[in-house]
Amino acid sequence: MTTSLVTDYRANEWTDLIHKGQRLVGSEGSAQFALGDIGLDMVPLPPKGKRLPVKAYKLLANYADEVGLERERFEEYRLVSGAWPKKQRIKSVCWTVHSILSRRPDRFELIANPPVFRRTGERRWTCDAARRVLGWKTQVPENMEEKLRQVEEQLDDEMAVEVVERAMRRPDVVKRVADKPHVRETFNRAQVSRIREAREETRKLPEVQKLNEQQEVLTVLGLCSAFASGIGRTLPGLHLAELSQDSKNSIREGLDRVTAAVEWTEHVLATGSTDMDAALERLIAGES
């Protein structure tokens, strides 16, 4: 016979347990505030921007040791008591909520206006409700954002990739994700970036660099060959000596352009710099 480890409570039994727990939490909070008040009596909070002397810290530490408390815990009690004057404390709200909200400058107004507790519909403070106010992680997530945050914190990058990949196997999920413009934009940017990275990685390969080098050599040699063979085929059939002086000058200007281009190519071969001044650029372009 299998015995369940979880007790099934009737409604009235559960209510009695809740009330009993609330009384115990209240008594626990009273003890924590009482201890914090002792710490405040021993060492009051210093003015803002001021630090306590080392002697004060030693006094607090010695007391914590004597009563069997962790020094850090006793200091926390003291600071929370300092943040909550006795008249501002709410007996029905646990000490932990006071501790969490103690960081808020509007804590006195805040604690007097508790949020709605979704399970009962009543207005009351819980530790998760206080954490939610400060934007902290909640222990029991209630909305989609909190549930997603809890899942994200459990995933490292490798697991996240695997989860996304598996989710993409579900057509309905893929369609709904694709309908989100910001998701498409993010994916497209990542894809373009990855393509660029792949191209750069490919260009660095020795065999690709060799192919690029050969292509560049062939390109320049092709230009040289086209000019030389064109002149070689065409010049013998021309009557350049019989041309007018203006025509000859025009041809000489063209030759100056070719000479300048050849000299610039020699410069690029020697230095690797393809910069040219404005005058050379105009000359090669045939601009007056």
Side-chain angles (χ1 to χ4, degrees):
M1 180 177 178
T2 303
T3 302
S4 174
L5 298 178
V6 180
T7 302
D8 293 325
Y9 293 99
R10 291 191 295 272
N12 61 327
E13 293 176 333
W14 179 253
T15 301
D16 290 342
L17 277 177
I18 293 295
H19 291 161
K20 180 179 180 181
Q22 288 174 341
R23 289 193 298 272
L24 291 172
V25 168
S27 63
E28 180 186 25
S30 297
Q32 291 163 324
F33 271 124
L35 287 165
D37 290 340
I38 291 175
L40 278 180
D41 290 338
M42 296 171 63
V43 180
L45 294 181
K48 190 173 182 179
K50 298 292 184 178
R51 298 187 63 181
L52 292 175
V54 176
K55 180 180 179 181
Y57 286 113
K58 288 183 177 180
L59 178 64
L60 293 170
N62 288 338
Y63 181 81
D65 286 340
E66 289 287 348
V67 300
L69 270 177
E70 292 182 349
R71 302 179 183 186
E72 294 79 6
R73 177 66 65 183
F74 182 51
E75 177 63 7
E76 183 182 5
Y77 292 163
R78 172 178 163 274
L79 293 176
V80 172
S81 288
W84 294 96
K86 293 181 180 180
K87 292 183 179 180
Q88 302 292 345
R89 302 170 190 174
I90 307 297
K91 292 182 178 181
S92 60
V93 178
C94 73
W95 180 89
T96 303
V97 169
H98 284 85
S99 175
I100 296 172
L101 296 181
S102 66
R103 296 159 178 80
R104 289 284 298 247
D106 59 344
R107 57 189 176 275
F108 303 141
E109 296 81 8
L110 194 61
I111 203 167
N113 296 280
V116 175
F117 184 49
R118 67 178 183 86
R119 294 180 188 171
T120 62
E122 63 178 326
R123 287 189 171 274
R124 70 182 183 87
W125 280 106
T126 64
C127 296
D128 267 352
R131 294 186 184 98
R132 197 169 289 115
V133 168
L134 271 69
W136 294 359
K137 174 187 174 183
T138 56
Q139 294 183 350
V140 181
E142 291 185 356
N143 54 47
M144 180 64 72
E145 181 60 30
E146 291 176 358
K147 293 176 182 178
L148 288 174
R149 186 185 301 177
Q150 188 178 63
V151 171
E152 286 177 345
E153 291 178 351
Q154 296 174 357
L155 297 178
D156 55 26
D157 288 349
E158 186 175 350
M159 290 178 64
V161 170
E162 184 66 24
V163 168
V164 172
E165 183 179 351
R166 294 191 180 189
M168 290 297 104
R169 299 173 188 171
R170 299 161 64 176
D172 290 343
V173 172
V174 174
K175 184 177 183 304
R176 292 176 63 180
V177 171
D179 286 340
K180 298 180 182 293
H182 67 281
V183 174
R184 292 199 305 271
E185 183 180 352
T186 300
F187 179 79
N188 290 337
R189 283 201 304 265
Q191 190 175 37
V192 170
S193 176
R194 187 65 192 94
I195 291 173
R196 288 175 179 170
E197 292 174 359
R199 286 177 179 173
E200 290 300 320
E201 292 171 359
T202 302
R203 288 173 183 171
K204 294 177 182 179
L205 296 175
E207 57 270 25
V208 174
Q209 290 183 335
K210 184 176 181 181
L211 289 175
N212 290 341
E213 180 178 334
Q214 292 174 348
Q215 183 63 42
E216 291 181 1
V217 171
L218 291 174
T219 298
V220 177
L221 290 180
L223 295 172
C224 295
S225 176
F227 176 78
S229 61
I231 289 293
R233 289 193 309 271
T234 306
L235 206 58
L238 302 179
H239 304 83
L240 300 185
E242 301 173 7
L243 297 178
S244 65
Q245 192 61 42
D246 288 342
S247 297
K248 290 180 180 179
N249 288 339
S250 295
I251 292 176
R252 289 191 179 96
E253 289 178 1
L255 292 175
D256 287 342
R257 291 172 58 198
V258 173
T259 301
V262 171
E263 291 177 349
W264 182 56
T265 304
E266 289 285 357
H267 171 75
V268 174
L269 287 172
T271 65
S273 173
T274 57
D275 295 336
M276 63 172 69
D277 57 36
L280 177 60
E281 186 174 0
R282 288 195 300 272
L283 176 60
I284 292 179
E287 300 175 355
S288 56

